[in-house]
């Protein structure tokens, strides 16, 4: 933007100073995190970027090999695309399911006339159990021989399912377990639903809209900011998922749950190819940044903020 | 949400914000600090390298092992005996049961490695140049390497150099649960039994809720005795070539047998999935009739006394001979160690007659020193006989000792075996592909 006259610049300058002051306040408040990031994250990140251009097994000194790691990834690593496909499959099934379930439960809870606090806690409680603990609990829940889930299946006359040991089932079992954490986004949706003004619904009632119409034309648009937030956070964490597969299946059976993150881990700590593992981690990082950017860019077409009258 | 700041410069607000931020920072720092890596080099640089610890000032050695709890005790006993003999040397034991390789490599990389450590995967550590070549120390003392089993010494070498002195060793054999055999009316297996007898036995002992044997496609390493006894191998002697070796006609036969074994035992199993040692727990609860393992769990199984077990050597193909697989490790030291003299004394003691006698007591393990092994007489023990026989015919080094990149090649082979087991893929062409992929890794 070029400025045409002096008055304009003067106004801009004072405006800029005010902007700076406002920003400074914000920066001040996030500075603990910023300092932490710079000290604890940024350094190692730059280091890993550096060694991603080398061959290094932790002993001895890294050997510079240019882009070889990045080339190897796409041309000569039979597990690379396999693990990529597994990861994408997981992300694109898990994230939408999580969003849908969380919204559904929240809407149901929101309709409750009494006991909402009680049920909200009940639905939220499971998501307090996460990570390794969750994995260990489900390793027994889904156990082929002793698991209560298979036991119940047998009780109603269904065949036992090899949840974690059948290559065609294991990934879906992990998605099912991951949905255990649906309570956290559910609480967010619930609070978003509570803040939807009832005036809209009254107006819609007068216009004669049915419940389905009201849900899709009022409720959903008004909670889109929350949906956006939820999609972004679960997208990022789903791409980096490792714990469940690491504990429950180790990437098996037959590599059906061999996530990208496991492939990175395996290269780093089984084959001790630190350079190659770093290169892979960076490719994933860039991929996540791109996808996040894509979601954000698309958001102006479907996310409605109440104060700007829908759309931007 | 936007923070609305007052238009006037309110100093109070500034101070308030600053103090808030300061408080937050303090909280953050206290949350993230306080954890120091225990791998710091405790023995200061004041100790000179040539100090044996006999000239008045004490030397403290750090000794690292993956053993812990019960399996650590024998080593601790030997170390205590060593300290009694050498009052000038103190030994601190560091037990790292998990992620041992990672811990060792990071400590080697940061020059904080223990003075003596146990190691088995020499191809992984050696290329970085962080390990001390032990040959010089052996020569200096005219230390007699002839007292060890020659095959074990091959495990101590990589790239033609000597990197450690042997600790203990164990072969693998098949354990079987006599009670389950009796119930099914199947005779106990005898040493020298054949592959098809094995498959047949597994068939007979498999019923709902019980597996005759656990054959998983995941454990490529323990398939080697079968491969070797049929005259095949996974990779060439020099560790460079898999094409034409891995996909040989002999190996197709072996893989056909292993596939039969897998089909006979359990199409898909989880018995070994959530327990260590290929289903040790499931074996102890009578869910598995036979399992393949080293001698380590034997003491515990016998001590519990609940199980009536027997051990038998691996079954053989028609015309094949027994070729056992060996698990062993060595005592090594880092190149940059500060107390090499004392470390060498400790290694000599631990790996020599005295230390080995203490460590291998009570059937804990076999001794690499031939004379001690004979003295222990474990080869005549009814339970250990099979393990001793496995050593006799053993003449091959496991593939991972032949090439530093084997763990990657093994991933390719594992994927192939999984395709054969799970999806009934054609054995010859799958092995061809695996050999090609492994070859690309090994170069």
């Amino acid at each position: 933007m070029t400025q045409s006259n002096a008055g304009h610049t003067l106004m801009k300058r004072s405006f800029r100073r005010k902007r700076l002051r406002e920003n400074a306040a914000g920066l001040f408040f996030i500075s603990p995190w910023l300092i932490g990031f710079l000290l604890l994250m940024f350094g190692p990140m730059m280091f890993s970027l550096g060694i991603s251009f080398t061959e290094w097994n932790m002993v001895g000194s890294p050997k510079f090999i240019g882009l070889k790691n990045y080339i190897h990834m796409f041309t000569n690593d039979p597990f690379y695309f396999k693990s990529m496909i597994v990861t994408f499959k997981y992300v694109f099934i898990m994230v939408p399911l999580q969003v849908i379930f969380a919204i559904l439960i929240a809407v149901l809870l929101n309709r409750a006339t009494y006991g909402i606090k009680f049920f909200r806690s009940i639905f939220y409680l499971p998501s307090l159990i996460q990570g390794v603990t969750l994995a260990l609990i489900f390793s027994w829940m889904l156990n082929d021989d002793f698991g209560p889930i298979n036991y119940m299946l047998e009780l109603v006359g269904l065949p036992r399912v090899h949840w974690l040991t059948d290559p065609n089932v294991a990934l879906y079992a992990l998605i099912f377990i991951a949905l255990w954490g649906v309570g956290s986004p559910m609480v967010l949706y619930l609070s978003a639903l509570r803040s939807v003004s009832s005036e809209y619904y009254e107006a819609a009632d007068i216009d004669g809209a049915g419940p389905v119409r009201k849900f899709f034309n009022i409720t959903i648009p008004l909670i889109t900011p929350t949906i956006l937030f939820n999609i972004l956070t679960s997208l990022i964490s789903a791409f980096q998922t490792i714990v469940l597969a690491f504990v429950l299946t180790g990437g098996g059976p037959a590599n059906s749950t061999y996530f990208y993150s496991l492939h990175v881990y395996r290269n780093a700590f089984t084959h001790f190819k630190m350079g190659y593992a770093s290169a892979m981690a960076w490719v994933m990082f860039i991929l996540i940044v791109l996808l996040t950017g894509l979601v954000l860019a698309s958001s102006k077409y479907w996310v409605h903020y109440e104060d700007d009258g829908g759309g931007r | 949400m936007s923070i609305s700041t007052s238009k006037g410069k309110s100093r109070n607000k500034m101070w308030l914000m600053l103090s808030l931020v300061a408080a937050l920072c303090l909280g953050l720092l206290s949350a993230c600090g306080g954890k120091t890596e225990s791998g710091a080099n405790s023995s200061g640089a004041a100790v000179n390298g040539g100090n044996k610890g006999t000239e008045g000032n004490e030397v403290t050695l750090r000794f690292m092992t993956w053993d812990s709890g019960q399996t650590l005790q024998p080593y601790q006993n030997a170390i205590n005996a060593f300290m009694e003999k050498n009052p000038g040397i103190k030994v601190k034991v560091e037990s790292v049961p998990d992620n041992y390789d990672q811990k060792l490599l990071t400590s080697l990389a940061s020059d904080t490695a223990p003075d003596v450590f146990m190691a088995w995967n020499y191809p992984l550590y050696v290329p970085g140049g962080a390990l001390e070549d032990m040959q010089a120390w052996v020569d200096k003392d005219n230390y007699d390497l002839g007292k060890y089993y020659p095959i074990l010494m091959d495990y101590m070498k990589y790239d033609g150099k000597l990197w450690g002195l042997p600790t203990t060793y164990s072969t693998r054999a098949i354990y079987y649960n006599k009670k389950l055999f009796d119930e099914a009316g199947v005779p106990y297996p005898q040493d020298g039994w054949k592959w098809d007898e094995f498959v047949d036995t597994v068939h007979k002992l498999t019923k709902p809720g019980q597996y005759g044997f656990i054959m998983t496609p995941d454990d490529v390493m323990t398939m080697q005795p079968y491969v070797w006894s049929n005259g095949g191998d996974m990779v060439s002697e020099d560790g460079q070539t898999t094409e034409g070796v891995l996909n040989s006609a002999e190996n197709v036969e072996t893989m056909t047998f292993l596939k039969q074994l897998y089909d006979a035992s359990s199409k898909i199993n989880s018995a070994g999935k959530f327990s260590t040692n290929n289903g040790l727990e499931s074996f102890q609860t009578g869910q598995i009739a036979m399992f393949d393992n080293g001698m380590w769990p034997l003491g515990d199984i016998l001590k519990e006394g609940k199980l009536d077990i027997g051990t038998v050597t691996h079954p053989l193909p028609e015309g094949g001979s027994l070729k056992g697989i060996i698990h062993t490790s060595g005592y090594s030291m880092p190149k940059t160690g500060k107390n090499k003299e004392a470390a060498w004394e400790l290694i000599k003691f631990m790996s020599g007659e005295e230390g080995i006698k203490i460590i291998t007591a009570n059937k804990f393990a076999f001794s690499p020193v031939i004379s001690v092994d004979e003295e222990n007489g474990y080869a005549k023990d009814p339970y250990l006989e099979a393990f001793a026989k496995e050593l006799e015919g053993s003449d091959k080094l496991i593939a991972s000792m032949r090439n530093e990149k084997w763990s990657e090649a093994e991933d390719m082979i594992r994927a192939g075996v999984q395709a054969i087991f799970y999806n009934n893929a054609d054995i010859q062409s799958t092995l061809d592909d695996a050999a090609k992929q492994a070859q690309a890794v090994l170069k």
Side-chain angles (χ1 to χ4, degrees):
Chain A
M1 289 234 274
T2 52
Q3 290 125 31
S4 46
N5 60 50
H8 196 80
T9 22
L10 242 160
M11 236 171 66
K12 260 198 114 69
R13 202 176 295 151
S14 72
F15 177 72
R16 205 179 289 159
R17 206 176 292 140
K18 193 174 136 203
R19 272 288 294 274
L20 206 70
R21 258 213 306 280
E22 282 192 23
N23 282 348
L27 281 173
F28 260 135
F29 274 103
I30 60 166
S31 63
W33 179 86
L34 269 181
I35 292 163
F37 172 79
L38 288 174
L39 286 179
L40 304 168
M41 293 270 291
F42 187 70
M45 273 175 79
M46 286 303 105
F47 178 76
S48 83
L49 182 63
I51 63 168
S52 75
F53 301 106
T54 65
E55 194 178 340
W56 189 47
N57 79 336
M58 280 167 67
V59 216
S61 44
K63 194 172 98 213
F64 184 77
I65 53 167
L67 289 173
K68 266 206 189 129
N69 283 330
Y70 292 92
I71 295 163
H72 176 79
M73 218 177 291
F74 297 110
T75 56
N76 215 350
D77 180 347
F79 296 102
Y80 186 79
F81 289 108
K82 200 175 168 64
S83 64
M84 196 65 113
I85 289 164
V86 168
T87 307
F88 267 91
K89 231 164 117 179
Y90 175 84
V91 170
F92 286 108
I93 298 172
M94 208 285 279
V95 175
L97 279 181
Q98 196 195 46
V99 171
I100 292 165
F101 276 121
I103 292 177
L104 280 182
I105 298 172
V107 167
L108 284 176
L109 275 181
N110 198 33
R111 296 185 61 92
T113 42
Y114 59 91
I116 178 165
K117 276 207 173 94
F118 171 73
F119 284 108
R120 190 178 56 199
S121 312
I122 291 286
F123 279 107
Y124 181 69
L125 271 179
S127 59
L128 291 176
I129 301 170
Q130 283 291 352
V132 178
T133 324
L134 181 71
L136 286 174
I137 290 172
F138 270 96
S139 78
W140 288 106
M141 293 289 287
L142 297 174
N143 183 294
D144 288 1
D145 301 307
F146 317 111
I149 294 182
N150 268 358
Y151 174 72
M152 286 171 198
L153 284 180
E154 217 163 45
L155 279 187
V156 295
L158 290 166
R160 287 172 173 262
V161 179
H162 295 285
W163 295 105
L164 297 168
T165 44
D166 183 340
N168 305 317
V169 180
L171 184 62
Y172 301 101
L174 291 189
I175 290 170
F176 168 72
I177 299 169
L179 288 176
W180 191 251
V182 81
S184 329
M186 185 270 299
V187 169
L188 290 177
Y189 288 124
L190 194 57
S191 64
L193 289 172
R194 307 296 263 171
S195 65
V196 174
S197 156
S198 58
E199 286 171 14
Y200 294 112
Y201 294 110
E202 286 157 14
D205 278 335
I206 292 165
D207 290 342
V212 176
R213 184 91 196 260
K214 275 196 289 197
F215 177 75
F216 283 106
N217 288 10
I218 300 171
T219 313
I220 293 285
L222 285 173
I223 60 169
T224 41
T226 313
I227 296 179
L228 173 68
F229 172 78
N230 179 207
I231 286 181
L232 283 181
T233 49
S234 29
L235 196 72
I236 293 169
S237 67
F239 266 112
Q240 298 171 337
T241 186
I242 185 164
V243 172
L244 288 180
F246 190 84
V247 176
L248 287 175
T249 60
N255 292 330
S256 61
T257 59
Y258 194 49
F259 289 117
Y260 194 91
S261 52
L262 274 178
H263 195 40
V264 173
Y265 179 89
R266 221 182 141 63
N267 272 286
F269 295 112
T270 306
H271 311 323
F272 290 95
K273 293 168 74 177
M274 289 296 156
Y276 185 51
S278 298
M280 279 200 294
W282 272 89
V283 169
M284 179 49 80
F285 175 72
I286 289 160
L287 197 79
I288 292 177
V289 168
L290 286 178
L291 269 165
T292 314
L294 202 69
V295 173
L296 278 173
S298 78
S299 71
K300 65 162 164 290
Y301 300 105
W302 59 273
V303 175
H304 304 273
Y305 292 97
E306 274 197 78
D307 51 7
D308 57 16
R312 281 210 182 169
Chain B
M1 295 211 316
S2 70
I3 303 162
S4 58
T5 47
S6 66
K7 289 191 176 73
K9 263 203 267 181
S10 154
R11 284 202 171 252
N12 287 345
K13 228 179 198 165
M14 278 278 282
W15 282 116
L16 181 74
M17 235 158 48
L18 272 173
S19 54
L20 255 177
V21 167
L24 281 168
C25 275
L26 276 174
L28 184 100
L29 286 176
S30 63
C32 301
K35 270 194 183 167
T36 51
E37 185 58 40
S38 59
N41 203 346
S42 53
S43 52
V47 184
N48 63 57
N51 191 343
K52 253 187 167 171
T54 44
E55 293 99 50
N57 53 356
E58 270 207 351
V59 180
T60 302
L61 291 179
R62 289 165 56 221
F63 171 81
M64 188 160 85
T65 171
W66 51 76
D67 284 298
S68 64
Q70 279 197 316
T71 53
L72 180 62
Q73 201 50 51
Y75 294 96
Q76 186 68 58
N77 295 344
I79 284 171
N80 293 348
F82 173 80
M83 288 197 284
E84 236 162 78
K85 264 187 72 170
N86 303 277
I89 306 176
K90 277 195 39 196
V91 184
K92 268 200 0 233
V93 176
E94 294 172 15
S95 158
V96 183
D98 290 323
N99 301 334
Y100 186 84
D101 279 350
Q102 296 160 33
K103 172 95 185 171
L104 181 55
L105 279 173
T106 39
S107 71
L108 283 171
S110 58
D111 267 353
T112 55
D115 301 289
V116 178
F117 51 85
M118 273 163 72
W120 65 277
N121 197 350
Y122 288 111
L124 178 66
Y125 318 125
V126 169
L131 255 57
E132 176 82 357
D133 182 356
M134 299 289 268
Q135 193 62 48
W137 295 91
V138 169
D139 294 342
K140 186 175 75 82
D141 282 6
N142 287 325
Y143 187 81
D144 173 27
L145 297 176
K147 61 180 161 194
Y148 298 112
Y149 288 105
I151 177 89
L152 293 180
M153 290 317 289
D154 291 345
Y155 279 81
M156 301 296 114
K157 292 173 189 146
Y158 183 71
D159 232 6
K161 292 200 179 80
L162 181 72
W163 302 105
L165 291 188
T167 56
T168 56
Y169 77 90
S170 171
T171 48
R172 297 180 80 91
I174 308 281
Y175 289 70
Y176 60 93
N177 182 333
K178 287 184 174 169
K179 188 170 137 249
L180 299 183
F181 273 74
D182 293 342
E183 279 172 7
V186 179
Y188 302 149
Q190 301 297 324
D191 290 354
W193 56 327
K194 295 285 181 280
W195 278 1
D196 43 0
E197 285 177 66
F198 188 27
V199 173
D200 196 42
T201 309
V202 171
H203 261 299
K204 285 178 181 154
L205 289 163
T206 302
K207 58 183 192 195
Q210 180 183 309
Y211 302 105
F213 183 76
I214 296 294
M215 185 70 224
T216 78
D218 300 334
D219 203 351
V220 174
M221 180 187 166
T222 58
M223 295 175 190
Q224 286 174 108
Y226 300 113
V227 169
W228 295 336
S229 64
N230 200 32
D233 206 338
M234 286 193 170
V235 61
S236 61
E237 236 20 272
D238 61 3
Q240 300 301 311
T241 318
T242 48
E243 280 184 294
V245 182
L246 180 70
N247 50 346
S248 64
E250 292 92 348
N251 286 3
V252 173
E253 279 174 24
T254 309
M255 202 43 78
T256 309
F257 152 70
L258 292 175
K259 165 78 169 135
Q260 285 173 342
L261 194 57
Y262 168 79
D263 287 345
S265 59
S266 52
K267 276 287 181 208
I268 287 169
N269 80 80
S270 64
K273 196 76 229 180
F274 306 122
S275 52
T276 48
N277 275 340
N278 298 341
L280 172 60
E281 285 145 27
S282 311
F283 179 72
Q284 286 180 299
T285 55
Q287 256 205 301
I288 303 177
M290 297 182 275
F291 91 125
D292 175 325
N293 209 308
M295 65 185 283
W296 319 288
L298 188 64
D300 280 348
I301 295 178
L302 293 177
K303 204 163 42 196
E304 298 215 339
K306 280 188 220 124
L307 280 180
D308 191 9
I309 59 158
T311 55
V312 61
T313 54
H314 282 93
L316 301 173
E318 290 298 337
S321 63
L322 188 65
K323 291 196 186 298
I325 188 171
I326 296 169
H327 293 273
T328 188
S329 52
Y331 300 110
S332 302
M333 44 182 172
K335 204 176 233 162
T336 55
K338 296 212 168 39
N339 312 306
K340 287 188 198 174
E341 287 277 347
W344 169 240
E345 290 302 316
L346 177 65
I347 292 175
K348 265 198 308 192
F349 180 86
M350 297 285 280
S351 183
E353 289 82 350
E354 270 181 278
I356 282 291
K357 244 195 111 52
I358 298 170
I359 295 168
T360 55
N362 304 326
K363 297 181 194 172
F364 174 70
F366 284 117
S367 148
V369 180
I370 301 170
S371 63
V372 176
D373 220 11
E374 281 164 0
E375 201 180 323
N376 284 340
Y378 294 163
K380 296 183 193 63
D381 182 280
Y383 294 105
L384 293 175
E385 210 180 351
F387 293 95
K389 278 186 189 165
E390 294 262 355
L391 178 75
E392 279 166 29
S394 182
D395 58 355
K396 290 216 189 292
L397 216 50
I398 51 173
S400 61
M401 285 298 297
R402 303 183 212 172
N403 191 313
E404 65 204 68
K405 290 185 172 153
W406 183 255
S407 69
E408 272 183 88
E410 204 173 70
D411 279 2
M412 318 291 172
I413 299 170
R414 186 178 301 112
V417 180
Q418 285 168 342
I420 293 168
F421 282 17
Y422 290 138
N423 314 332
N424 306 315
D426 177 66
I427 292 174
Q428 180 71 61
S429 63
T430 308
L431 286 182
D432 289 346
D433 291 347
K436 205 178 295 161
Q437 287 178 332
Q439 190 64 70
V441 170
L442 300 174
K443 301 224 182 23

